[in-house]
Amino acid sequence: MAALLNPTSRRLATAACRRISTPAAVDALVSHRNFQERCSSSLVDVSGGFSEMLDATQRYYVVGGKGGVGRTSMAAALAVKFANHGEPTLIVSTNPIRSLGDSFEQDVSDSKVVRIDGFDSLFATEIGRVKLEGGRPGVGSFINNLMGSMGLGTLADLSMLNEILNRFPPGLEEAYALSELIKSIELQETDKFRRIVLDAPSTGHTLKLLSANNWIEKFLGIAVKGVNAASSMPIFKSSLEKLQEISSGLEKLRQQIAGVHELLVDPRSTEFIIVTIPTMMAVSESSRFHSSLKKYGAHTRRLVVNQVLPPSASDCRFCASKRREQARAFSAIREDRELGGLKLIQAPLLDVELKGVPALRFLSDSVWK
């Protein structure tokens, strides 16, 4: 394949093997011949409507999409753009596969909020799942640990309730961790973080997080009723006070996670942004993703199409084929019932790896206009 590519196209096709590591490399990227002009004449509108975003009331931006489309890079670039405009910004990764720290080349793991080097108003963190012993336990074990950490004892004696909770689907741990973070943010001064960008996990995990609220409402409601019922049984008379504390704690957890769900689906507070790439498979999944987001009440206005080939006066056989494939994908987006009404934003395919603040600054200016 390499023999079919001219030098410029070869650099584009091997982008994953390259990285920005020196100021000279950044200068070379920025001075790439007529780069901005060529992007402006591409297949879709490259304006991200960033001025509109600055004036909007939304505080939270959830960047999601299928795996491998560049969600983390787009989320990081958006956070950088906000910070460059003087907006105190926090970017949070809820992705089980950690890459946000790699993007900024800083350690932001273990739920530590870290200021990004080179910025006064940009902070980042990666939140993990609640750390429990014994690998991935059931939800009954999760609640046992949670109640124990709150000094409320456990559900060990309520075997039936514990069995019900252990059948609980995935999503509770992630929802709880996110709710704790958002609760801490909302309790701080309103100008501490003006913008919060969430680097969401892949489509399936994001939808589980949104749908988990329905299950949490039902199952924690059952848990509260079960604890209340048990408290009326003579066998649990000696533990009545403890059971009442557990019931109160479970209800508090339910309300906390429900509150976060309400915030995520409130269009005045939160906007979801879908990231995709110009292939038919990715477009199809993005269409289904948007349909599901609407089902759960999430508000989406923008679709970022990443890895778009820059315009060129001449193409090798490989690039010409890829360009035709991308043209078909853009046509499918325009005709798609779910995606056609979204604002299209272009992110060009670059000949360097997007790693480090200089690269993210460049990407933010190229995409979020």
Side-chain angles (χ1 to χ4, degrees):
M1 181 180 293
L4 299 175
L5 305 181
N6 60 40
T8 300
S9 300
R10 187 180 300 115
R11 294 175 68 205
L12 289 168
T14 60
C17 299
R18 302 289 304 278
R19 61 181 296 180
I20 296 178
S21 57
T22 66
V26 178
D27 291 341
L29 180 60
V30 175
S31 63
H32 194 276
R33 188 172 68 99
N34 296 326
F35 182 79
Q36 301 290 355
E37 289 80 3
R38 293 193 297 156
C39 287
S40 297
S41 61
S42 61
L43 289 169
V44 296
D45 179 17
V46 300
S47 173
F50 186 73
S51 296
E52 175 186 275
M53 297 171 79
L54 281 175
D55 295 334
T57 61
Q58 285 87 0
R59 188 183 191 188
Y60 294 87
Y61 290 88
V62 184
V63 181
K66 73 184 294 292
V69 298
R71 296 185 316 271
T72 299
S73 295
M74 293 303 132
L78 178 58
V80 165
K81 189 72 172 183
F82 277 130
N84 280 342
H85 280 73
E87 300 272 288
T89 301
L90 172 67
I91 179 169
V92 181
S93 175
T94 60
N95 196 334
I97 302 175
R98 306 295 179 225
S99 59
L100 184 61
D102 294 332
S103 294
F104 285 106
E105 297 184 316
Q106 283 185 240
D107 181 13
V108 298
S109 59
D110 298 327
S111 301
K112 298 180 297 185
V113 176
V114 177
R115 185 177 64 82
I116 298 300
D117 294 341
F119 293 89
D120 293 326
S121 56
L122 178 58
F123 299 82
T125 186
E126 293 174 334
I127 62 172
R129 299 171 61 183
V130 179
K131 293 183 179 179
L132 304 174
E133 297 179 0
R136 192 197 193 291
V139 172
S141 299
F142 166 67
I143 292 180
N144 273 331
N145 281 288
L146 179 60
M147 294 297 103
S149 67
M150 298 171 67
L152 301 180
T154 70
L155 304 175
D157 294 328
L158 305 179
S159 58
M160 182 179 298
L161 178 59
N162 192 64
E163 182 179 352
I164 291 174
L165 290 172
N166 274 318
R167 298 178 183 274
F168 198 89
L172 177 57
E173 295 97 327
E174 292 87 347
Y176 174 71
L178 182 59
S179 71
E180 282 290 290
L181 177 72
I182 292 179
K183 181 177 73 172
S184 67
I185 291 172
E186 293 295 321
L187 288 176
Q188 298 188 40
E189 302 86 357
T190 56
D191 59 349
K192 174 65 176 180
F193 296 120
R194 175 68 182 87
R195 310 287 180 173
I196 295 94
V197 179
L198 299 180
D199 170 27
S202 60
T203 54
H205 281 84
T206 301
L207 295 176
K208 284 178 182 178
L209 187 62
L210 287 171
S211 64
N213 182 69
N214 295 330
W215 289 96
I216 289 166
E217 286 280 345
K218 294 176 182 178
F219 276 80
L220 289 187
I222 292 173
V224 170
K225 291 179 181 178
V227 171
N228 289 338
S231 67
S232 65
M233 300 177 185
I235 191 175
F236 294 112
K237 186 175 182 180
S238 61
S239 303
L240 179 59
E241 183 177 350
K242 184 64 67 176
L243 288 170
Q244 290 173 341
E245 290 179 3
I246 292 175
S247 175
S248 176
L250 289 174
E251 175 60 21
K252 181 179 179 181
L253 174 63
R254 185 193 67 78
Q255 292 179 1
Q256 180 175 322
I257 293 176
V260 169
H261 181 268
E262 290 176 6
L263 184 148
L264 290 178
V265 300
D266 182 356
R268 297 167 299 179
S269 301
T270 304
E271 178 184 333
F272 280 72
I273 299 171
I274 299 176
V275 181
T276 190
I277 54 176
T279 67
M280 295 302 295
M281 184 179 296
V283 169
S284 295
E285 180 165 341
S286 298
S287 177
R288 293 192 296 271
F289 184 39
H290 186 225
S291 176
S292 297
L293 288 176
K294 290 195 301 183
K295 173 184 175 182
Y296 294 118
H299 175 70
T300 308
R301 294 192 59 195
R302 294 170 173 82
L303 174 70
V304 179
V305 184
N306 193 19
Q307 301 179 15
V308 178
L309 283 170
S312 176
S314 61
D315 275 334
C316 66
R317 186 183 306 172
F318 172 80
C319 287
S321 175
K322 294 297 293 183
R323 205 176 298 281
R324 288 192 295 270
E325 176 186 337
Q326 294 192 356
R328 287 194 295 271
F330 279 119
S331 178
I333 290 172
R334 287 190 292 268
E335 297 172 1
D336 188 85
R337 181 173 58 184
E338 295 294 335
L339 303 178
L342 298 179
K343 183 175 180 62
L344 291 175
I345 303 169
Q346 172 181 300
L349 177 64
L350 302 177
D351 58 354
V352 290
E353 185 176 5
L354 291 167
K355 190 172 184 179
V357 169
L360 292 173
R361 285 185 188 274
F362 176 79
L363 181 66
S364 71
D365 290 336
S366 298
V367 177
W368 302 106
K369 298 183 178 181

